[in-house]
Each structure stands twice: as C-alpha cells, then as structure tokens.
Amino acid sequence: MNEEAALRRILHANPERGFCEFRTTSLLVARLRDLGAEVALGADIMVPELRMGVPEDVDRAWQEARDEGLDPETMAALRHGMTGVVATLRGRRPGRVVAVRADIDALPLTESGSDGHRPYRLGFASTRPGTMHACGHDGHAAIALGLARRLADRDFAGTVKLLFQPAEEGLRGGRAVAASGLLDDVDDLVCIHLGLGVPTGTVHPRTHGALASVKLRATFTGVAAHAGLAPERGRSALLAAAAGALAVHAVGQHGSAATRVNVGALDCPGAANVVPASATLSLEVRADDTAACDLLAERVVAALRGSAAAYGVACELATVGHAPQVRCDRDLADRIADVAAAVPAVTHVGGSLEDRGSDDAAWLLDRVRAHGGRGTYLVIGADQAGGHHESTFDIDEHALTVGVDLLDRVVRTLGAAC
C-alpha cells in the first residue's frame, strides 16, 4: 500500500463534519510541516463571520479533540471551528503561482457494516457512528498531501499553494476561505474531485452544468396550547411549517434556467395533545444560473414568510449554505488536457463533464478570476462501490496515484509557463 492509500484509510476511519475537522487538520499540519511547507491556519485562511452553518456543538468537538493530546499550538488556531489549512511551497526558480484545492469534511451518514463493503471488511470503516467519508474528500486530502511530498524537492518554478478546505458539504466553508485573500495572487487554481461516475484512469479537465445553490433553515415559532381544552389559544408552528413546505414547491420556475427546490427535513418536537410552538424546515434551492438561483431563493423566502403570517407565527430564516455556479476557464482546462495526455497513469482524457451537483469551490474560482487568474474543476476518475453520499461508497485507491502523478506534472508545467 502506498502512502496516499494509507493516509486515505486513516482519514476514512476518522471522518469529521464541516468545521469540526480538528483531527484531520492537525494530522495534515504535522505532515506538511515535516515537508518544510509554510502553513497558514485559522483566521489567516478564512473570515470567521462568513462561515455558514457552523455546528452548535463545535466547541464541544474541539474540546474532545484537544483532550486527545493534539498539538496545542495547532488546536489553539482551530478553536471555534476555524479548521482547514493552506500550505505554501516555493520552488527554486521564479514562476507563476498555482493552487490546488482539496476539501476535507465528511457527511452525516452511517457507513455500511456489510462484509461486502471493503472498508468494513478490511478494518478502515468509520469509527464515528453517524459520520462517514462518502464523497471522496478523504481521497482528495490524500492526493494533495501526496503532491506536497512530490514537491518537497523544490525542483520547480513558481509557488504552489495547497488548500485543504473545510465544510464543503452544505456549501458552508468556501466563501469564508475565498474572502481571506490568500488566493488573490494565484494565477491558476485547480479544484479536484474524485469519482463522479468517471472510471479510474480517465480525467476531465473541466465541468459544466454545476448548479448554484442556497441552503436555508426556517424556524417557525408559535404559541403552545392544550389541543383539547383550549386549541384557540395556540398558534401552530407545525401547520405553518407544513404550509410553507408546500408553498415553496409551488413557487414559479424560471423561463431560462433549470431550477430545483427541495424541503429535506421538517423537525417538530411535541405530542399529540399539544399545539406545537416550534418547527424547523431545512430546504434548498438550486439553478444552473446564479442570478436565477438568487431570485428563486428570494421567492422561497417570501413564501415561507407568507405561510408564517397566515398562521400567526414568527419565522426566522438563516442561510446555512450558499455557492454560485461553478465556471471553468477553457484555456486552462485545455492546457491541463495536454499535460494529462503525457501522464502514463492517465488512460483517457475526456472533454467537459456535465456535473449537476453544487460545490463551494465556485467561490474560490470566482475570487481567483476576479484578480486576473484562471480556474478549473478537475475530475479525476475513480471506480466506485456505491454512489456518492451513499453508505456503501468506496473508491479505487489506484486513482490516488493517478491524481498525484497528474497534478505533479500539472503544477510544474503551469508554474513554469510564460
């Protein structure tokens, strides 16, 4: 087993939710420092107030991680969920600044305990019930660290920045990291993703069709009452939330954009004989055009507020995730395609891959582009067992070697470009 696969298995067995990646970040920091990389952490890599959906128990998670004996200096920088790390490696010759982004968070999902599931059978399945690496982020981190090992020779032109980003799931961390300004000097940004239905050995240097998205949490607050003795005294938060769930699905669609609306959860503690005073909806909107997505979100918010008003309850709305559509620069993608064609581990170079998901790498790509740079979303094929965000998800670990070989060649080529 090579170093990338070994690291991937360590991370896979120890998944952490977004903004709680304390052990993951600490491990990465220690290994990056061993390689002589310059390391930036905490408030140096993100704007705290621009984070979205920070878990309520983040400080408890930090305390538990610190009590395991992790490096005190690193843990101090990560307090209150300021996770992730940016590593900088400088080559021996002048050149361009190239950045690679790898996300590091896991999903709130229970991993399969079936003997047919390789991580379980081989003993590296999640050790944290209810949390799982089911999207390949463990592999992304392993690839980026493997790239750092290759670049430790410093025999390249320019500067390479490796961004290990927290809280991609739910689109919660990218905006805060982009706003830090750490990428403002980047000439070329490559955001990587494993799998996406692409077989091992095939790479796609860019994607199209990714959706802008806004994630919302609507909290309805009414008045509790006895459902039999005095129901007229109550104001049902549950009925308002239920009406709101139906109302957002009735919001008109967009004439020139593909749109999506989904209410994913309705939480309402209570009992059969109590008019419920509190209910929460978790929902999202998506569109293949950022402006259309923002307009759809505005109308959904209006529908939720209207439902609350109709039932005489209050409605508090929070944006808990947000990202524009992912856009790729074709000239950069074409250059990567040329490089990939000469990498022995790459067996096929595809064109632009249609991806109908969402990714907050969009904030990073737009930030780099706004400062004169270029960016693309690179898909590194990996045969899969189970689909993304499924309990049986697993990847062909040979894809990690493909990714390191490809990115090693890419960053050295781009850094030396005129």
Side-chain angles (χ1 to χ4, degrees):
M1 185 191 312
N2 63 22
E3 291 182 280
E4 287 74 45
L7 175 62
R8 182 256 167 169
R9 293 188 182 192
I10 292 171
L11 297 176
H12 191 89
N14 296 278
E16 296 173 294
R17 296 167 296 146
F19 298 125
C20 294
E21 308 99 325
F22 301 114
R23 300 165 188 83
T24 301
T25 302
S26 295
L27 184 155
L28 293 170
V29 167
R31 297 198 180 192
L32 289 164
R33 283 179 170 157
D34 285 345
L35 295 171
E38 301 169 24
V39 170
L41 297 167
D44 290 335
I45 72 164
M46 73 174 81
V47 179
E49 58 269 24
L50 292 182
R51 296 174 300 161
M52 293 174 278
V54 179
E56 293 182 358
D57 63 346
V58 67
D59 288 334
R60 179 180 60 80
W62 177 86
Q63 184 69 52
E64 291 175 354
R66 191 186 70 161
D67 290 347
E68 293 177 9
L70 300 179
D71 178 65
E73 180 184 353
T74 299
M75 288 300 294
L78 306 183
R79 192 164 191 173
H80 306 309
M82 298 293 287
T83 48
V85 54
V86 176
T88 301
L89 299 104
R90 304 184 191 279
R92 295 174 183 167
R93 301 178 297 280
R96 294 162 60 85
V97 179
V98 182
V100 175
R101 179 266 204 169
D103 36 16
I104 62 174
D105 58 323
L107 285 153
L109 187 68
T110 298
E111 186 159 11
S112 171
S114 166
D115 287 338
H117 182 55
R118 188 176 65 112
Y120 177 78
R121 187 174 67 251
L122 298 184
F124 66 94
S126 172
T127 58
R128 296 191 169 87
T131 306
M132 176 193 175
H133 271 297
C135 199
H137 297 187
D138 49 345
H140 301 169
I143 288 173
L145 189 61
L147 175 61
R149 279 192 291 270
R150 296 278 186 91
L151 297 175
D153 62 9
R154 300 299 193 274
D155 188 20
F156 58 92
T159 299
V160 177
K161 293 188 176 185
L162 302 176
L163 168 56
F164 297 85
Q165 185 210 303
E168 184 280 327
E169 299 295 355
L171 312 179
R172 298 177 291 136
R175 181 177 67 162
V177 173
S180 73
L182 266 181
L183 298 180
D184 290 357
D185 62 345
V186 169
D187 296 299
D188 295 315
L189 169 63
V190 181
C191 302
I192 64 172
H193 206 297
L194 285 163
L196 300 182
V198 178
T200 301
T202 294
V203 299
H204 290 267
R206 65 186 176 100
T207 63
H208 66 276
L211 304 175
S213 182
V214 178
K215 320 290 186 185
L216 298 168
R217 182 177 62 243
T219 303
F220 296 83
T221 303
V223 178
H226 193 293
L229 293 177
E232 73 281 1
R233 297 182 185 177
R235 295 290 184 269
S236 176
L238 174 59
L239 291 179
L246 295 175
V248 300
H249 281 279
V251 170
Q253 303 300 297
H254 199 285
S256 60
T259 57
R260 308 278 192 276
V261 176
N262 185 62
V263 176
L266 194 168
D267 297 312
C268 180
N273 60 350
V274 178
V275 175
S278 178
T280 302
L281 289 180
S282 298
L283 65 149
E284 68 170 17
V285 300
R286 302 192 196 216
D288 61 1
D289 175 83
T290 300
C293 182
D294 292 343
L295 176 61
L296 184 61
E298 290 177 11
R299 292 181 174 176
V300 162
V301 166
L304 292 168
R305 288 178 173 156
S307 297
Y311 283 86
V313 307
C315 180
E316 180 182 350
L317 288 151
T319 299
V320 296
H322 183 203
Q325 64 192 123
V326 171
R327 296 182 297 124
C328 298
D329 291 298
R330 185 163 189 165
D331 55 343
L332 174 59
D334 288 347
R335 187 71 189 97
I336 292 174
D338 292 340
V339 174
V343 176
V346 175
T347 57
H348 177 69
V349 181
S352 180
L353 178 71
E354 183 176 26
D355 175 16
R356 304 302 281 179
S358 304
D359 196 307
D360 66 2
W363 292 110
L364 308 171
L365 292 163
D366 285 352
R367 180 80 181 204
V368 167
R369 197 174 289 115
H371 287 78
R374 306 178 296 179
T376 195
Y377 195 86
L378 169 66
V379 177
I380 301 166
D383 296 333
Q384 297 173 212
H388 290 274
H389 295 208
E390 295 180 8
S391 65
T392 56
F393 180 83
D394 189 24
I395 57 169
D396 174 12
E397 290 171 337
H398 178 63
L400 307 179
T401 300
V402 177
V404 175
D405 286 353
L406 172 60
L407 288 170
D408 183 27
R409 190 80 64 92
V410 165
V411 299
R412 293 177 194 268
T413 300
L414 294 176
C418 297

mmCIF file of all heavy atoms in Angstrom, residues 106 112 128 141 157 161 166 170 174 183 199 205 240 244-245 268 280 328 339 343 350 353-354 358 369 380 389 394-395:
data_model
loop_
_atom_site.group_PDB
_atom_site.id
_atom_site.type_symbol
_atom_site.label_atom_id
_atom_site.label_comp_id
_atom_site.label_asym_id
_atom_site.label_seq_id
_atom_site.Cartn_x
_atom_site.Cartn_y
_atom_site.Cartn_z
ATOM 1 N N ALA A 106 -16.472 15.401 6.067
ATOM 2 C CA ALA A 106 -17.261 14.185 5.845
ATOM 3 C C ALA A 106 -18.752 14.502 5.947
ATOM 4 O O ALA A 106 -19.150 15.648 6.189
ATOM 5 C CB ALA A 106 -16.869 13.115 6.861
ATOM 6 N N SER A 112 -21.844 1.632 5.893
ATOM 7 C CA SER A 112 -22.288 0.238 5.820
ATOM 8 C C SER A 112 -21.406 -0.669 6.686
ATOM 9 O O SER A 112 -20.182 -0.531 6.713
ATOM 10 C CB SER A 112 -22.243 -0.242 4.366
ATOM 11 O OG SER A 112 -22.469 -1.634 4.289
ATOM 12 N N ARG A 128 -16.662 6.575 13.742
ATOM 13 C CA ARG A 128 -17.546 7.572 14.346
ATOM 14 C C ARG A 128 -18.958 7.367 13.804
ATOM 15 O O ARG A 128 -19.272 7.809 12.693
ATOM 16 C CB ARG A 128 -17.043 8.983 14.053
ATOM 17 C CG ARG A 128 -15.684 9.236 14.689
ATOM 18 C CD ARG A 128 -15.299 10.700 14.639
ATOM 19 N NE ARG A 128 -14.134 10.912 15.486
ATOM 20 C CZ ARG A 128 -12.884 10.775 15.089
ATOM 21 N NH1 ARG A 128 -12.625 10.441 13.845
ATOM 22 N NH2 ARG A 128 -11.886 10.965 15.925
ATOM 23 N N ALA A 141 -7.810 14.838 0.107
ATOM 24 C CA ALA A 141 -6.750 15.253 1.028
ATOM 25 C C ALA A 141 -5.494 14.412 0.832
ATOM 26 O O ALA A 141 -4.370 14.932 0.862
ATOM 27 C CB ALA A 141 -7.244 15.145 2.468
ATOM 28 N N ALA A 157 9.387 25.636 -10.823
ATOM 29 C CA ALA A 157 9.323 27.093 -10.936
ATOM 30 C C ALA A 157 8.039 27.602 -10.286
ATOM 31 O O ALA A 157 6.986 26.967 -10.367
ATOM 32 C CB ALA A 157 9.365 27.508 -12.400
ATOM 33 N N LYS A 161 0.358 26.552 -3.866
ATOM 34 C CA LYS A 161 -0.452 26.628 -2.652
ATOM 35 C C LYS A 161 -1.422 25.450 -2.641
ATOM 36 O O LYS A 161 -2.123 25.214 -3.627
ATOM 37 C CB LYS A 161 -1.228 27.946 -2.593
ATOM 38 C CG LYS A 161 -0.347 29.173 -2.432
ATOM 39 C CD LYS A 161 -1.169 30.431 -2.194
ATOM 40 C CE LYS A 161 -0.269 31.628 -1.930
ATOM 41 N NZ LYS A 161 -1.037 32.849 -1.569
ATOM 42 N N PRO A 166 -12.230 23.315 4.630
ATOM 43 C CA PRO A 166 -13.271 22.703 5.460
ATOM 44 C C PRO A 166 -14.662 22.944 4.901
ATOM 45 O O PRO A 166 -14.885 23.830 4.064
ATOM 46 C CB PRO A 166 -13.106 23.449 6.793
ATOM 47 C CG PRO A 166 -12.663 24.823 6.381
ATOM 48 C CD PRO A 166 -11.750 24.591 5.200
ATOM 49 N N GLY A 170 -22.729 20.963 2.140
ATOM 50 C CA GLY A 170 -23.659 22.006 2.547
ATOM 51 C C GLY A 170 -23.254 23.387 2.088
ATOM 52 O O GLY A 170 -23.930 24.373 2.377
ATOM 53 N N GLY A 174 -16.523 27.573 1.677
ATOM 54 C CA GLY A 174 -15.786 28.158 0.565
ATOM 55 C C GLY A 174 -15.775 29.669 0.535
ATOM 56 O O GLY A 174 -14.753 30.295 0.243
ATOM 57 N N LEU A 183 -5.852 33.633 -1.853
ATOM 58 C CA LEU A 183 -5.742 33.188 -3.243
ATOM 59 C C LEU A 183 -5.638 34.348 -4.226
ATOM 60 O O LEU A 183 -5.635 34.124 -5.437
ATOM 61 C CB LEU A 183 -6.951 32.320 -3.608
ATOM 62 C CG LEU A 183 -7.130 31.029 -2.814
ATOM 63 C CD1 LEU A 183 -8.377 30.284 -3.286
ATOM 64 C CD2 LEU A 183 -5.913 30.129 -2.944
ATOM 65 N N PRO A 199 -14.541 6.482 -14.648
ATOM 66 C CA PRO A 199 -13.690 5.343 -14.270
ATOM 67 C C PRO A 199 -12.249 5.737 -13.990
ATOM 68 O O PRO A 199 -11.756 6.763 -14.467
ATOM 69 C CB PRO A 199 -13.779 4.421 -15.496
ATOM 70 C CG PRO A 199 -14.089 5.329 -16.637
ATOM 71 C CD PRO A 199 -14.974 6.398 -16.064
ATOM 72 N N PRO A 205 -10.720 17.620 -17.544
ATOM 73 C CA PRO A 205 -10.090 18.843 -17.056
ATOM 74 C C PRO A 205 -11.059 19.969 -16.700
ATOM 75 O O PRO A 205 -10.642 20.967 -16.132
ATOM 76 C CB PRO A 205 -9.187 19.270 -18.226
ATOM 77 C CG PRO A 205 -8.991 18.022 -19.035
ATOM 78 C CD PRO A 205 -10.283 17.291 -18.914
ATOM 79 N N ALA A 240 -47.859 25.937 10.147
ATOM 80 C CA ALA A 240 -47.203 26.975 9.347
ATOM 81 C C ALA A 240 -46.036 26.393 8.555
ATOM 82 O O ALA A 240 -45.853 26.706 7.375
ATOM 83 C CB ALA A 240 -46.722 28.098 10.260
ATOM 84 N N GLY A 244 -45.686 26.041 4.636
ATOM 85 C CA GLY A 244 -44.514 26.608 3.980
ATOM 86 C C GLY A 244 -43.824 25.606 3.076
ATOM 87 O O GLY A 244 -43.369 25.946 1.976
ATOM 88 N N ALA A 245 -43.743 24.343 3.510
ATOM 89 C CA ALA A 245 -43.123 23.304 2.683
ATOM 90 C C ALA A 245 -43.869 23.139 1.361
ATOM 91 O O ALA A 245 -43.248 22.978 0.299
ATOM 92 C CB ALA A 245 -43.102 21.979 3.448
ATOM 93 N N CYS A 268 -40.111 18.839 14.392
ATOM 94 C CA CYS A 268 -41.095 19.450 15.281
ATOM 95 C C CYS A 268 -41.277 18.579 16.525
ATOM 96 O O CYS A 268 -42.009 17.585 16.487
ATOM 97 C CB CYS A 268 -42.423 19.636 14.560
ATOM 98 S SG CYS A 268 -43.701 20.385 15.578
ATOM 99 N N THR A 280 -39.064 23.455 12.503
ATOM 100 C CA THR A 280 -37.953 23.907 11.657
ATOM 101 C C THR A 280 -37.952 23.172 10.332
ATOM 102 O O THR A 280 -38.071 21.942 10.294
ATOM 103 C CB THR A 280 -36.606 23.690 12.362
ATOM 104 O OG1 THR A 280 -36.606 24.388 13.602
ATOM 105 C CG2 THR A 280 -35.454 24.193 11.505
ATOM 106 N N CYS A 328 -15.602 27.241 -15.345
ATOM 107 C CA CYS A 328 -14.224 26.838 -15.635
ATOM 108 C C CYS A 328 -13.674 27.627 -16.813
ATOM 109 O O CYS A 328 -14.412 27.953 -17.756
ATOM 110 C CB CYS A 328 -14.166 25.339 -15.958
ATOM 111 S SG CYS A 328 -14.702 24.273 -14.611
ATOM 112 N N VAL A 339 -1.292 18.302 -20.812
ATOM 113 C CA VAL A 339 -0.380 17.707 -19.843
ATOM 114 C C VAL A 339 -0.819 16.287 -19.505
ATOM 115 O O VAL A 339 -0.002 15.349 -19.450
ATOM 116 C CB VAL A 339 -0.318 18.562 -18.559
ATOM 117 C CG1 VAL A 339 0.512 17.869 -17.484
ATOM 118 C CG2 VAL A 339 0.259 19.943 -18.867
ATOM 119 N N VAL A 343 0.787 11.797 -19.280
ATOM 120 C CA VAL A 343 0.960 11.141 -17.983
ATOM 121 C C VAL A 343 0.617 9.661 -18.135
ATOM 122 O O VAL A 343 -0.529 9.317 -18.467
ATOM 123 C CB VAL A 343 0.068 11.797 -16.913
ATOM 124 C CG1 VAL A 343 0.174 11.050 -15.587
ATOM 125 C CG2 VAL A 343 0.458 13.261 -16.731
ATOM 126 N N GLY A 350 -10.913 13.039 -21.147
ATOM 127 C CA GLY A 350 -12.226 13.396 -21.663
ATOM 128 C C GLY A 350 -12.356 14.894 -21.867
ATOM 129 O O GLY A 350 -11.449 15.674 -21.553
ATOM 130 N N LEU A 353 -17.073 17.570 -18.522
ATOM 131 C CA LEU A 353 -18.001 16.627 -17.907
ATOM 132 C C LEU A 353 -19.205 17.376 -17.348
ATOM 133 O O LEU A 353 -19.057 18.351 -16.615
ATOM 134 C CB LEU A 353 -17.304 15.874 -16.770
ATOM 135 C CG LEU A 353 -18.170 14.877 -15.988
ATOM 136 C CD1 LEU A 353 -18.482 13.656 -16.852
ATOM 137 C CD2 LEU A 353 -17.489 14.466 -14.693
ATOM 138 N N GLU A 354 -20.397 16.917 -17.677
ATOM 139 C CA GLU A 354 -21.601 17.519 -17.093
ATOM 140 C C GLU A 354 -21.718 17.090 -15.639
ATOM 141 O O GLU A 354 -21.672 15.906 -15.310
ATOM 142 C CB GLU A 354 -22.857 17.102 -17.850
ATOM 143 C CG GLU A 354 -24.114 17.780 -17.293
ATOM 144 C CD GLU A 354 -25.361 17.454 -18.075
ATOM 145 O OE1 GLU A 354 -25.402 16.386 -18.716
ATOM 146 O OE2 GLU A 354 -26.307 18.269 -18.036
ATOM 147 N N SER A 358 -23.503 20.688 -6.854
ATOM 148 C CA SER A 358 -23.064 22.033 -6.468
ATOM 149 C C SER A 358 -21.791 21.898 -5.654
ATOM 150 O O SER A 358 -21.569 20.877 -5.000
ATOM 151 C CB SER A 358 -24.139 22.741 -5.633
ATOM 152 O OG SER A 358 -25.377 22.802 -6.324
ATOM 153 N N ARG A 369 -10.452 34.394 -10.367
ATOM 154 C CA ARG A 369 -10.761 35.024 -11.658
ATOM 155 C C ARG A 369 -10.899 36.543 -11.512
ATOM 156 O O ARG A 369 -10.468 37.308 -12.394
ATOM 157 C CB ARG A 369 -12.052 34.404 -12.200
ATOM 158 C CG ARG A 369 -12.309 34.632 -13.666
ATOM 159 C CD ARG A 369 -13.521 33.848 -14.124
ATOM 160 N NE ARG A 369 -13.245 32.420 -14.165
ATOM 161 C CZ ARG A 369 -13.839 31.515 -13.390
ATOM 162 N NH1 ARG A 369 -14.738 31.879 -12.504
ATOM 163 N NH2 ARG A 369 -13.537 30.249 -13.508
ATOM 164 N N ILE A 380 -11.037 13.619 -11.440
ATOM 165 C CA ILE A 380 -10.104 12.501 -11.523
ATOM 166 C C ILE A 380 -10.913 11.223 -11.348
ATOM 167 O O ILE A 380 -11.466 10.970 -10.277
ATOM 168 C CB ILE A 380 -9.021 12.606 -10.437
ATOM 169 C CG1 ILE A 380 -8.246 13.923 -10.591
ATOM 170 C CG2 ILE A 380 -8.067 11.408 -10.493
ATOM 171 C CD1 ILE A 380 -7.387 14.282 -9.392
ATOM 172 N N HIS A 389 -22.438 9.934 -1.529
ATOM 173 C CA HIS A 389 -23.391 10.188 -0.444
ATOM 174 C C HIS A 389 -24.233 8.948 -0.119
ATOM 175 O O HIS A 389 -25.341 9.070 0.408
ATOM 176 C CB HIS A 389 -24.305 11.385 -0.769
ATOM 177 C CG HIS A 389 -23.570 12.689 -0.872
ATOM 178 N ND1 HIS A 389 -24.164 13.905 -0.598
ATOM 179 C CD2 HIS A 389 -22.286 12.984 -1.220
ATOM 180 C CE1 HIS A 389 -23.269 14.878 -0.776
ATOM 181 N NE2 HIS A 389 -22.129 14.335 -1.166
ATOM 182 N N ASP A 394 -17.197 3.796 -1.783
ATOM 183 C CA ASP A 394 -15.778 3.486 -1.681
ATOM 184 C C ASP A 394 -15.159 3.786 -3.034
ATOM 185 O O ASP A 394 -15.858 3.842 -4.056
ATOM 186 C CB ASP A 394 -15.568 2.019 -1.290
ATOM 187 C CG ASP A 394 -14.106 1.702 -0.963
ATOM 188 O OD1 ASP A 394 -13.361 2.622 -0.599
ATOM 189 O OD2 ASP A 394 -13.722 0.516 -1.075
ATOM 190 N N ILE A 395 -13.853 4.001 -3.065
ATOM 191 C CA ILE A 395 -13.170 4.327 -4.311
ATOM 192 C C ILE A 395 -12.007 3.380 -4.563
ATOM 193 O O ILE A 395 -11.445 2.793 -3.642
ATOM 194 C CB ILE A 395 -12.637 5.777 -4.295
ATOM 195 C CG1 ILE A 395 -11.691 5.989 -3.103
ATOM 196 C CG2 ILE A 395 -13.767 6.781 -4.306
ATOM 197 C CD1 ILE A 395 -10.918 7.282 -3.165
#
